[in-house]
Each structure stands twice: as C-alpha cells, then as structure tokens.
Amino acid sequence: MTTAVNPPAREAGRLLVGFDADDTLWQNEQFYRLTEDAFAASLADYCEATDLSERLLAAERRNLALYGFGIKGFTLSMIETALELTNSELPGHIVGRILEIGREMLRHPVDLLPSARETLEALAGRHRLVLITKGDLFDQERKLAASGLGPFFDGIEIVSDKTELTYQNIFARHGIEPDRCVMIGNSLKSDILPVLGAGASAIFIPHDLTWIHEHAEKPEGDPRFFEVADLSAVPGILQAIA
Ligand SMILES: [Mg+2]
C-alpha cells in the first residue's frame, strides 16, 4: 500500500531563494565608476581619451571569455586599453598606477544596500537561501566575509557566469524543482532572463548603476517575473509565490 506523504509542515511553502550579491546586497558598480575616473586621470598627460569608456568596455568584452568577470580581468583590460591609446608607448609608472588602482578596488569596503541584512534575517530558516554570484572567487569570498551576511545562507555559489544551465545545475544540486525556486537580482541579463528560462521565478531590483554589459529587455507578460524597488518588498512577494 502506498500512502500519499505530505511534506512536513515546516517544509510547506519553503522555496529556494537565490540572491545575487553585487548591487543587490552590496554596492559594487560605483567602485568600477570611480576606478574608471582614476584610470582616465592617470592617462590624462599621455593621450586624448574622449572615447575611453567605449574602448575599455570593448576590451572587457573581448577578454570576458578568457579572464571571466571581476576586478583582475578589469585591471588587465585597463592596461590593454592604455597600451592601445598610447600606441604601446605607455610609461612603466602608469602601468604601476593602473595596477595600484586595481588593487584599491580589491580592498574596497563592503557597503550593504538598504534592507539587505533585515531581509535575509526575516527569510533565513523559512526558505533555503543561496547566494549566487559571479566574479573573482577570492574577491567574492572577501566581500561575503566582510559583509557579515554569510550565516544567513544555506549555500554559496560563486560561478563563472550565470546562464540558464548554471541555474538548472544549482537547482538540481539542491534537489528543488525550478518552480519552487526564485532568484533576486539587479541584472536582467544574468539574474532574471536565464532564471525564467530555467523555469523559476525572478525578482528584479533595479540599481541606479548597472554595468551596460548587464542590460537586457524586460520580459513582458511573464507571471513569474516581478519587479520591486528594494529588498524590503521581497518577503511579501515570496509569500505570494510560496
Ligand atoms: Mg549584480
């Protein structure tokens, strides 16, 4: 005889809730913008750099497949752009300056976004919370440790990219069906579209500063897509989904 088994009461309504980190839980892009200003200043005496941002972005995009996301790849792309702009006559001390501003980024303090701690505190224990972030492993581990948010998470996933397959693998590894999974983040391209593609729900929290590479069109008419202004609205949405 088989008996239908209901999940234990405490499991009922429990979701896997994925959180992006950079510019969802803590500030990130602002440090890239400040660094780009410092980079432009370091080159001011050596070249006309009116299209510096475009050239730097082009170098980053060229190098993504080799360097991956993160500050170390960004630093190498700054050096490459500087060589390009100076016809390879970049003085050594400017290379040293670029390396230094890259290291400063790797030391930047972790600045939590509003309601980050309170939201995680409210959700911990009620849902399975998983941090899903991409970038340099070492840098993401540093920021997580400095954030003090680590204890709220049941799992940490530092991945090289966020594709539909990345999310399918994460959901499968946690043994949770995609329709019981929700991802929260500031990037339509990385945190929202591939998640919806994998069959889960997604909550978009726009950030004023989002890297142009992460821009994408908003999904239309998808009942599993939500948009809120900040993290404090997340528990209410999860309650509706659960
Ligand atoms: Mg982000």
Side-chain angles (χ1 to χ4, degrees), residues 49-108:
T50 47
D51 56 353
L52 186 83
S53 290
E54 289 75 16
R55 283 174 184 254
L56 180 56
L57 178 64
E60 289 180 84
R61 284 184 159 153
R62 273 198 305 277
N63 292 328
L64 266 184
L66 290 170
Y67 300 157
F69 294 91
I71 293 170
K72 283 177 271 185
F74 179 65
T75 304
L76 291 172
S77 292
M78 283 194 287
I79 293 173
E80 187 175 313
T81 305
L83 283 167
E84 191 182 296
L85 286 164
T86 58
N87 294 316
S88 297
E89 289 179 359
L90 184 65
H93 74 275
I94 301 297
V95 178
R97 174 67 190 139
I98 295 170
L99 290 171
E100 180 51 34
I101 59 182
R103 279 193 297 271
E104 281 168 18
M105 274 186 97
L106 289 165
R107 289 190 288 254
H108 74 71

Side-chain angles (χ1 to χ4, degrees), residues 2-242:
T2 54
T3 310
V5 179
N6 289 323
R10 63 185 179 80
E11 290 293 310
R14 193 169 158 89
L15 302 164
L16 181 153
V17 183
F19 280 88
D20 168 54
D22 289 343
D23 296 317
T24 296
L25 294 176
W26 54 64
Q27 301 284 8
N28 176 64
E29 183 65 16
Q30 66 178 27
F31 298 108
Y32 279 84
R33 304 288 172 104
L34 290 170
T35 301
E36 201 175 309
D37 292 345
F39 174 54
S42 75
L43 290 179
D45 292 341
Y46 298 90
C47 58
E48 283 273 334
T50 47
D51 56 353
L52 186 83
S53 290
E54 289 75 16
R55 283 174 184 254
L56 180 56
L57 178 64
E60 289 180 84
R61 284 184 159 153
R62 273 198 305 277
N63 292 328
L64 266 184
L66 290 170
Y67 300 157
F69 294 91
I71 293 170
K72 283 177 271 185
F74 179 65
T75 304
L76 291 172
S77 292
M78 283 194 287
I79 293 173
E80 187 175 313
T81 305
L83 283 167
E84 191 182 296
L85 286 164
T86 58
N87 294 316
S88 297
E89 289 179 359
L90 184 65
H93 74 275
I94 301 297
V95 178
R97 174 67 190 139
I98 295 170
L99 290 171
E100 180 51 34
I101 59 182
R103 279 193 297 271
E104 281 168 18
M105 274 186 97
L106 289 165
R107 289 190 288 254
H108 74 71
V110 171
D111 186 5
L112 293 185
L113 280 157
S115 306
R117 168 172 283 275
E118 295 77 1
T119 303
L120 291 172
E121 215 160 21
L123 298 174
R126 296 174 63 180
H127 300 289
R128 173 178 282 260
L129 305 187
V130 181
L131 184 78
I132 306 176
T133 180
K134 69 181 189 217
D136 290 329
L137 176 64
F138 201 68
D139 184 42
Q140 294 295 347
E141 286 178 339
R142 172 191 77 90
K143 289 191 283 191
L144 178 61
S147 73
L149 301 179
F152 295 123
F153 290 102
D154 301 292
I156 308 291
E157 303 276 351
I158 301 174
V159 295
S160 54
D161 203 357
K162 289 172 165 177
T163 65
E164 206 173 298
L165 184 61
T166 312
Y167 289 107
Q168 285 167 351
N169 288 339
I170 291 171
F171 302 155
R173 202 162 45 248
H174 286 266
I176 302 183
E177 290 300 316
D179 65 358
R180 303 297 301 155
C181 298
V182 185
M183 178 69 188
I184 298 151
N186 72 303
S187 166
L188 287 163
K189 186 175 179 180
S190 296
D191 304 318
I192 306 300
L193 298 181
V195 171
L196 295 172
S201 299
I203 305 176
F204 175 48
I205 308 181
H207 187 285
D208 290 346
L209 301 176
T210 292
W211 188 29
I212 192 162
H213 181 74
E214 298 292 342
H215 288 192
E217 290 299 312
K218 267 187 215 177
E220 274 184 37
D222 191 326
R224 290 170 299 125
F225 171 69
F226 302 85
E227 178 174 345
V228 296
D230 64 62
L231 284 161
S232 66
V234 165
I237 304 247
L238 294 180
Q239 215 162 8
I241 294 173

